[in-house]
Amino acid sequence: MSPSRPNGLSRQPRNVVSRGIPEATVARLPVYLRALVSLAERGATTVSSEELAAAAGVTSAKLRKDLSHLGSYGTRGVGYEVEYLVYQISRELGLSQDWRVAIVGIGNLGHALANYGGFASRGFRVVALLDAGEVVGEKVAGLTVASVDDLEHVVKEQEVSIAVIATPGAAAQPLCDRLVAAGITSILNFAPVVLQVPEGVKVRKVDLSTELQILAFHEQRKSAAVLGIDADVVAQAFVEAAQ
Amino acid sequence: MSPSRPNGLSRQPRNVVSRGIPEATVARLPVYLRALVSLAERGATTVSSEELAAAAGVTSAKLRKDLSHLGSYGTRGVGYEVEYLVYQISRELGLSQDWRVAIVGIGNLGHALANYGGFASRGFRVVALLDAGEVVGEKVAGLTVASVDDLEHVVKEQEVSIAVIATPGAAAQPLCDRLVAAGITSILNFAPVVLQVPEGVKVRKVDLSTELQILAFHEQRKSAAVLGIDADVVAQAFVEAAQ
DNA sequence: AGGCACGTGTGAACGTGTGCACAAAGTCGC
DNA sequence: GCGACTTTGTGCACACGTTCACACGTGCCT
């Protein structure tokens, strides 16, 4: 039964990517990028960590540490050259190439996503729309909606590398399985379910009601705090009253 | 010059709320809740940490630790009673009360959000839609779209406690300022900008292209790894070629 | 040319989050 | 009722992330 194995083996850091860049930093790079582009449009040529941090909503120390993971792209006593930094972050995020995106599920949200201009702006091109309903055959945002029956074919034909799932919850998992089988390894999921995928497939989830629930939690705490009430005590009383 | 002050003072933990519950745990509670409701619909009355964890996409140890922050609601040797746990998590998240939500910006995304059924399901009620364009006066999802000119009035009249911003980037900050001035302290932001808000106001951001960029980063790394190439080396060569 | 002001890059300390492994606590069968 | 089995709740160790504070590089001014 071997009660205490040494088990110091097979430990691979999963949150740190390759030889570099912590996950938390990666998640912030897009924010920096947007802030930089915005600054560039306003004509700025250099920017200090303090300024950029303010624009991105983080502290300057965090920003500097994040950027230091990409290399030493700043100049001491001056700051960072905006254009050069835009280039470096874009490159690191892989935005030099064009990513071909398919949207699965053309309901309200799918429509909105298809028409959303923000995709094209930075390296993302929506190349396929898929649905199972009456929308099939219609033109949406310049593309004809294809049937999910042809999913495998469309994915291969259009060389899709990222899929966006915007279906009702029940349809998401089966479609996800088919996408994975078709070779997709990056999925952005808007459906309110936790997708089960094999190792090597990356899923990111965007969930509206989850976000609202987190806000509600904090809002509730605030209300209780204003009244000078310990929320836990209230909760306890509530439980007892309910019993 | 006092080279090393002890400086252990005025340190208040900001990520831990009140007397309890770590932020990371709060972010997962909605996921557990959904998994539990789904299980309940399938007729389950009790569930083990192992099962629930699988359904929620986390490890069982993490789940147990998360739930332990709410109290001891499980039974050793058996598991958790599904219905009771649903109740406890709902209560903790503040879903016992109805949250009144306003959506600002009724474009493609605003439409989709207004029609999204997932809101009503758990304590969230959309009570106001606001826009500045031609949509004003139209009926969307059973509500008449009001003008943003009346924002302050509508917020007060409808007792809005959470605002959702779904406008273009440029409009977001001014509207945010007005919402905050009108007393809103919880905002869900879909606009592609970092909102600046005073202390005490909680903003959560959902950003489609940010998510795609994070996926692209990992996808890029994967491609390079498959080819047996160190991505950093490629990047370096790329930089040199560009100079 | 030399000092000075400025701002980056980073080592070290701290706090938060995760994973392991097991004792405590409960149930079920006999 | 007692023992074997199951599963929770948690102490501990470690990994990750953030913050602090300052040395050092860079440009500017005299």
Side-chain angles (χ1 to χ4, degrees):
Chain A
M1 230 167 286
S2 71
S4 67
R5 260 184 300 166
N7 83 347
L9 57 118
S10 80
R11 178 65 59 87
Q12 63 172 1
R14 226 176 324 207
N15 278 347
V16 167
V17 187
S18 171
R19 186 194 300 281
I21 309 185
E23 190 61 34
T25 296
V26 173
R28 282 188 294 265
L29 288 181
V31 181
Y32 301 154
L33 184 56
R34 208 195 295 280
L36 282 166
V37 170
S38 170
L39 282 168
E41 282 169 0
R42 260 174 274 162
T45 58
T46 63
V47 63
S48 72
S49 65
E50 205 72 50
E51 295 171 289
L52 182 52
V58 299
T59 65
S60 60
K62 201 187 276 186
L63 175 81
R64 287 201 301 277
K65 184 143 284 187
D66 283 343
L67 294 184
S68 77
H69 286 116
L70 313 190
S72 273
Y73 297 141
T75 309
R76 298 179 185 218
V78 179
Y80 302 89
E81 201 196 326
V82 174
E83 205 149 331
Y84 186 55
L85 200 50
V86 165
Y87 167 71
Q88 289 298 344
I89 294 180
S90 298
R91 186 180 53 70
E92 195 69 46
L93 286 173
L95 305 184
S96 323
Q97 60 187 285
D98 256 30
W99 295 98
R100 301 174 67 81
V101 177
I103 300 176
V104 185
I106 312 298
N108 280 310
L109 181 58
H111 265 95
L113 294 175
N115 286 306
Y116 176 54
F119 284 129
S121 64
R122 277 186 236 320
F124 298 95
R125 193 187 310 176
V126 179
V127 295
L129 306 178
L130 294 161
D131 199 290
E134 301 154 1
V135 211
V136 175
E138 281 183 29
K139 276 233 168 196
V140 173
L143 287 169
T144 304
V145 179
S147 165
V148 284
D149 295 342
D150 302 329
L151 185 148
E152 289 77 7
H153 177 248
V154 170
V155 165
K156 184 167 278 183
E157 187 83 1
Q158 291 293 333
E159 295 181 347
V160 172
S161 53
I162 299 179
V164 177
I165 295 182
T167 65
Q173 183 64 57
L175 284 170
C176 171
D177 293 342
R178 287 176 63 190
L179 287 165
V180 170
I184 299 289
T185 57
S186 291
I187 296 173
L188 180 53
N189 179 32
F190 285 87
V193 291
V194 178
L195 294 176
Q196 312 287 342
V197 294
E199 188 131 353
V201 178
K202 193 98 191 170
V203 176
R204 292 192 65 88
K205 192 182 152 202
V206 174
D207 191 323
L208 317 179
S209 46
T210 294
E211 298 297 326
L212 283 178
Q213 286 173 20
I214 296 170
L215 283 174
F217 172 84
H218 291 289
E219 188 70 25
Q220 185 193 36
R221 288 278 163 137
K222 267 185 272 183
S223 315
V226 167
L227 297 169
I229 300 170
D230 183 330
D232 291 323
V233 175
V234 175
Q236 192 52 39
F238 195 66
V239 170
E240 282 157 10
Q243 277 168 355
Chain B
M1 229 167 288
S2 72
S4 67
R5 257 185 304 167
N7 83 346
L9 57 117
S10 79
R11 178 64 57 90
Q12 64 172 2
R14 225 175 328 207
N15 278 347
V16 167
V17 188
S18 172
R19 186 195 300 282
I21 308 185
E23 192 61 33
T25 296
V26 172
R28 282 188 294 265
L29 288 180
V31 181
Y32 301 155
L33 183 56
R34 208 195 294 281
L36 282 166
V37 170
S38 170
L39 282 168
E41 282 169 0
R42 259 173 275 161
T45 58
T46 63
V47 64
S48 71
S49 64
E50 204 71 50
E51 295 171 290
L52 182 51
V58 299
T59 65
S60 62
K62 200 186 277 186
L63 175 80
R64 288 200 300 278
K65 187 150 285 186
D66 283 343
L67 293 185
S68 76
H69 286 117
L70 313 190
S72 273
Y73 296 141
T75 310
R76 296 176 188 222
V78 178
Y80 301 88
E81 202 197 324
V82 174
E83 205 149 331
Y84 185 55
L85 200 50
V86 165
Y87 167 71
Q88 289 298 343
I89 295 180
S90 298
R91 187 181 52 70
E92 194 69 45
L93 286 173
L95 306 184
S96 323
Q97 59 186 285
D98 257 30
W99 295 98
R100 301 176 66 81
V101 177
I103 300 177
V104 185
I106 312 299
N108 279 310
L109 181 58
H111 264 96
L113 294 174
N115 286 308
Y116 176 54
F119 284 129
S121 64
R122 279 189 233 318
F124 298 96
R125 193 187 310 175
V126 179
V127 295
L129 306 178
L130 295 161
D131 199 290
E134 301 154 1
V135 210
V136 174
E138 282 184 27
K139 276 232 169 197
V140 174
L143 287 168
T144 304
V145 179
S147 166
V148 285
D149 296 343
D150 302 328
L151 184 147
E152 289 77 7
H153 177 250
V154 170
V155 165
K156 184 166 276 182
E157 187 84 2
Q158 291 293 335
E159 295 180 348
V160 172
S161 54
I162 299 179
V164 177
I165 296 181
T167 64
Q173 184 64 55
L175 283 170
C176 171
D177 293 343
R178 287 176 62 191
L179 286 166
V180 170
I184 299 289
T185 57
S186 292
I187 296 173
L188 180 53
N189 178 32
F190 285 87
V193 291
V194 177
L195 294 176
Q196 311 287 340
V197 293
E199 188 130 354
V201 178
K202 194 101 189 169
V203 176
R204 293 192 65 88
K205 192 183 153 202
V206 174
D207 191 324
L208 318 179
S209 47
T210 293
E211 298 297 328
L212 284 178
Q213 286 173 23
I214 296 169
L215 283 174
F217 172 84
H218 291 289
E219 188 70 27
Q220 186 193 36
R221 287 278 162 139
K222 268 185 273 182
S223 315
V226 167
L227 297 170
I229 300 170
D230 183 330
D232 291 324
V233 175
V234 175
Q236 193 50 43
F238 195 65
V239 169
E240 282 157 10
Q243 279 168 355

